[in-house]
Amino acid sequence: MKIGERIAAEMLRLGISEGELGRRSGVNQPTIHRIITGDSKSPRQSNVEKIAKALGVTPEWLWRGEGPQLLSDLVGIGNVSPAAKPDRLYRYPVVSEVQAGAWTEAIQPYEPGAEDRFELTDYQARGPAFWLEVTGDSMTSPVPPSIPEGHFILVDTGLIPQPGDLVVAKLDTEDRATFKKLVSDAGQLYLKPLNPAYRMIPIDGNCRLIGVVKEAKQRF
């Protein structure tokens, strides 16, 4: 595994995009993209150190795949402090695809207290948010990022989707929500599966964007 693959794997673990990693690390997104794809053959040490800190991993592991991986593994070694724990955790419901599809019609698509399940995260949503289980293989990719069936995604309905974001949308032809990447080509917006075997869906008034995916993790 190369440095770019390790960065992509940690981004997937944390459920963050290249843009979000850039915001957290102070390294611009195009530079991060070049490191991930291997176009940058000799990344600057300072950039790698900033990216490692933002991902919560050690620079040595990110560079060479050697030594302790997580910063938290270094507790008690030298003067390294343990990784900071979140000051607060937030509780969001796990909903079905049908409930998620109804999110734009009713922010709470069922009576308060009727939710069967909640999950915690340190992400503070800008608006009402929910967890959704990924079904099917349309977002499974042979290269990172890849979010296979069985993963759970955290959807923030308070964000305005932008090209490049992973989004949840409600197609007019379906009663349930769909999970895709929002892309723009020559001024036309599309819902793009990460799996190259699936076709892109043009957005031409046939869907409503429900929210932006801010976190992904394996089955709880």
Side-chain angles (χ1 to χ4, degrees):
M1 183 180 284
K2 299 179 180 179
I3 182 172
E5 294 172 323
R6 285 189 284 274
I7 291 174
E10 289 305 297
M11 287 170 53
L12 178 60
R13 178 179 67 86
L14 296 173
I16 61 175
S17 65
E18 292 179 4
E20 177 64 16
L21 178 56
R23 187 188 67 79
R24 295 185 184 188
S25 66
V27 179
N28 63 59
Q29 183 271 332
T31 297
I32 291 174
H33 182 76
R34 287 194 296 270
I35 296 174
I36 290 175
T37 59
D39 290 340
S40 178
K41 303 300 182 183
S42 300
R44 291 184 181 178
Q45 181 175 348
S46 59
N47 285 338
V48 173
E49 290 175 349
K50 291 176 182 178
I51 292 171
K53 182 177 180 181
L55 293 173
V57 300
T58 65
E60 294 78 11
W61 178 83
L62 205 58
W63 270 114
R64 297 179 291 276
E66 300 174 354
Q69 176 178 345
L70 300 177
L71 288 175
S72 57
D73 293 338
L74 295 177
V75 177
I77 300 177
N79 296 319
V80 179
S81 301
K85 294 183 178 179
D87 294 328
R88 182 176 179 182
L89 292 176
Y90 300 90
R91 185 171 178 258
Y92 303 114
V94 178
V95 306
S96 70
E97 289 177 317
V98 173
Q99 290 169 329
W103 206 265
T104 51
E105 285 81 25
I107 293 301
Q108 187 85 1
Y110 34 76
E111 290 299 317
E115 303 92 336
D116 293 329
R117 189 174 180 187
F118 289 88
E119 291 296 335
L120 300 175
T121 176
D122 61 354
Y123 175 75
Q124 183 178 10
R126 300 287 183 86
F130 58 85
W131 291 96
L132 180 66
E133 183 174 6
V134 176
T135 60
D137 64 350
S138 69
M139 295 299 278
T140 302
S141 171
V143 296
S146 177
I147 306 180
E149 183 173 25
H151 275 61
F152 283 76
I153 54 175
L154 179 63
V155 184
D156 187 346
T157 66
L159 298 174
I160 299 175
Q162 302 292 334
D165 287 339
L166 299 179
V167 301
V168 168
K170 167 66 169 62
L171 295 171
D172 292 342
T173 56
E174 299 182 12
D175 293 330
R176 58 185 185 179
T178 185
F179 169 42
K180 298 290 184 288
K181 183 176 182 178
L182 182 65
V183 299
S184 177
D185 184 9
Q188 170 68 53
L189 291 175
Y190 295 87
L191 295 174
K192 180 182 179 180
L194 297 180
N195 188 333
Y198 288 80
R199 294 181 178 180
M200 294 197 299
I201 303 170
I203 297 178
D204 53 7
N206 58 336
C207 75
R208 295 184 299 280
L209 299 178
I210 296 173
V212 177
V213 175
K214 297 301 296 180
E215 187 175 331
K217 58 184 176 181
Q218 294 181 335
R219 187 184 301 275
F220 308 124

